[in-house]
Amino acid sequence: MSIRKILSKIENEETFHAVADDYSFSIKIDDYVPYVCAAVHDGHHFDKRLWSKCLHTEYDRWYEEDPCTGNMISLLPITIIAHDSRFEYDLNRDPKEAIYETAWGKTLWKTPLSEAEKMRALEKHDNFYRVVLQLIVKLEEQFGTAVFYDFHSYNRKRWDREVPVFNLGTSNVDQMKYNLAITQWQEILNNVTLPIDQKVTCAINDVFQGNGYFLKYVTSNSLNSLVLATEVSKIYCDEETGVIFPEVVHTLKDKLKYYIQSHAHRFYDRHHTYES
């Protein structure tokens, strides 16, 4: 579906499932509700025209992406999920910094990208955020408020200490206004039961502080909405081999469906400014 048609459907409050016509992301709206789930680093697609230029292997790219995060949020009524790899353009960075020159200490390109290649990538970045903006406007118009669950994963083996299963990054949201919502989300995640050996805990601003562009974009373009940058450590896969543990992914998917809806309804009851 074209970006123009996606924007039109949101404006007209139509329910739909669509993949952008350049296959860069998908969006699903089964019902208009005051909450959205996003997985902006789920993507692994990598433009074939860039393969010969890239110094990182497919595994190198996979390691730094957030595999399965789109699947984990897929049972929720409004989802927006990236399909392109952050190595082509990073949706969680400002457009000026969205195209890597180096990535995690290693030069990314054998030869610099052409201006045409950069523009092609940045157009997809721009289109994604045109759709996000339309969602913000429509949901605040309809409900007076919304909460965006910005879902990511991170590599636990990179740290030389035990890290929490979940991390909330709140440094760029109004922590006074949304203190109760943040605390409630932390308490919910602290009590999630998962089929893993590690004790499940949720920390705030421990491994990440919530400095991503998605959070900042939604926060700066909304009047009364919260973004909860939620990271899960890669307890659901073997980081070194790429093997996914489906029982952990499926459990997360089921739990997130229930807990996000429960948390979002409480958030709405507290923060909406008028009845829809």
Side-chain angles (χ1 to χ4, degrees):
M1 191 179 289
S2 70
I3 298 300
R4 181 178 294 179
K5 191 169 183 183
I6 290 171
L7 295 175
S8 174
K9 283 186 173 290
I10 297 171
E11 174 58 31
N12 294 322
E13 298 175 20
E14 297 177 46
T15 57
F16 66 100
H17 293 203
V19 181
D21 55 12
D22 58 10
Y23 292 93
S24 57
F25 70 93
S26 60
I27 179 169
K28 174 191 74 173
I29 303 181
D30 286 334
D31 188 18
Y32 281 81
V33 293
Y35 54 97
V36 174
C37 295
V40 301
H41 282 157
D42 182 73
H44 189 60
H45 294 175
F46 195 63
D47 192 325
K48 193 171 184 179
R49 291 167 288 191
L50 301 177
W51 290 3
S52 62
K53 285 190 167 188
C54 187
L55 290 165
H56 284 233
T57 65
E58 183 183 8
Y59 170 77
D60 290 338
R61 297 195 300 272
W62 177 89
Y63 184 79
E64 302 298 352
E65 294 158 354
D66 297 352
C68 301
T69 51
N71 186 6
M72 292 172 195
I73 62 171
S74 62
L75 297 178
L76 280 302
I78 304 180
T79 61
I80 186 163
I81 298 169
H83 297 312
D84 284 337
S85 173
R86 66 194 299 186
F87 282 78
E88 184 181 349
Y89 58 97
D90 192 334
L91 286 168
N92 214 27
R93 289 190 180 185
D94 183 284
K96 298 187 184 88
E97 301 171 338
I99 296 175
Y100 302 161
E101 298 294 334
T102 61
W104 290 272
K106 180 179 171 183
T107 301
L108 184 56
W109 307 109
K110 294 175 187 173
T111 56
L113 297 186
S114 68
E115 286 306 307
E117 287 167 332
K118 290 179 181 179
M119 290 304 296
R120 188 165 64 230
L122 290 176
E123 183 179 5
K124 292 191 281 188
H125 187 289
D126 180 62
N127 283 337
F128 180 88
Y129 279 100
R130 287 171 64 197
V131 173
V132 170
L133 182 60
Q134 185 81 311
L135 269 176
I136 296 167
V137 171
K138 177 53 63 178
L139 295 180
E140 288 203 336
E141 173 190 297
Q142 225 182 346
F143 300 104
T145 190
V147 55
F148 287 73
Y149 299 87
D150 176 21
F151 210 68
H152 296 264
S153 66
Y154 73 94
N155 296 304
R156 55 185 177 150
K157 292 183 180 177
R158 177 169 276 152
W159 299 80
D160 58 5
R161 61 178 173 89
E162 184 164 308
V163 288
V165 170
F166 294 102
N167 179 86
L168 304 184
T170 65
S171 63
N172 286 287
V173 300
D174 188 334
Q175 295 179 60
M176 293 290 288
K177 179 178 180 180
Y178 297 119
N179 177 62
L180 185 56
I182 292 165
T183 301
Q184 286 180 340
W185 189 227
Q186 181 188 25
E187 288 172 355
I188 286 169
L189 294 177
N190 256 326
N191 291 296
V192 170
T193 305
L194 297 174
I196 59 173
D197 292 334
Q198 183 180 342
K199 177 177 169 56
V200 177
T201 58
C202 178
I204 294 178
N205 299 328
D206 181 341
V207 288
F208 297 98
Q209 286 71 47
N211 292 319
Y213 183 70
F214 181 87
L215 181 150
K216 291 178 180 178
Y217 182 89
V218 174
T219 301
S220 63
N221 284 282
S222 62
L223 299 173
N224 190 32
S225 293
L226 169 64
V227 183
L228 287 168
T230 305
E231 303 258 0
V232 60
S233 74
K234 288 184 179 171
I235 40 90
Y236 62 89
C237 68
D238 186 326
E239 295 167 25
E240 294 172 348
T241 64
V243 171
I244 302 294
F245 307 145
E247 71 280 11
V248 184
V249 175
H250 293 157
T251 302
L252 278 164
K253 180 164 71 170
D254 289 340
K255 301 274 186 179
L256 286 172
K257 177 192 178 186
Y258 175 76
Y259 288 125
I260 285 175
Q261 291 183 113
S262 173
H263 180 267
H265 283 118
R266 279 189 281 174
F267 177 87
Y268 172 73
D269 287 343
R270 193 177 311 110
H271 289 285
H272 74 287
T273 54
Y274 55 84
E275 293 297 328
S276 60

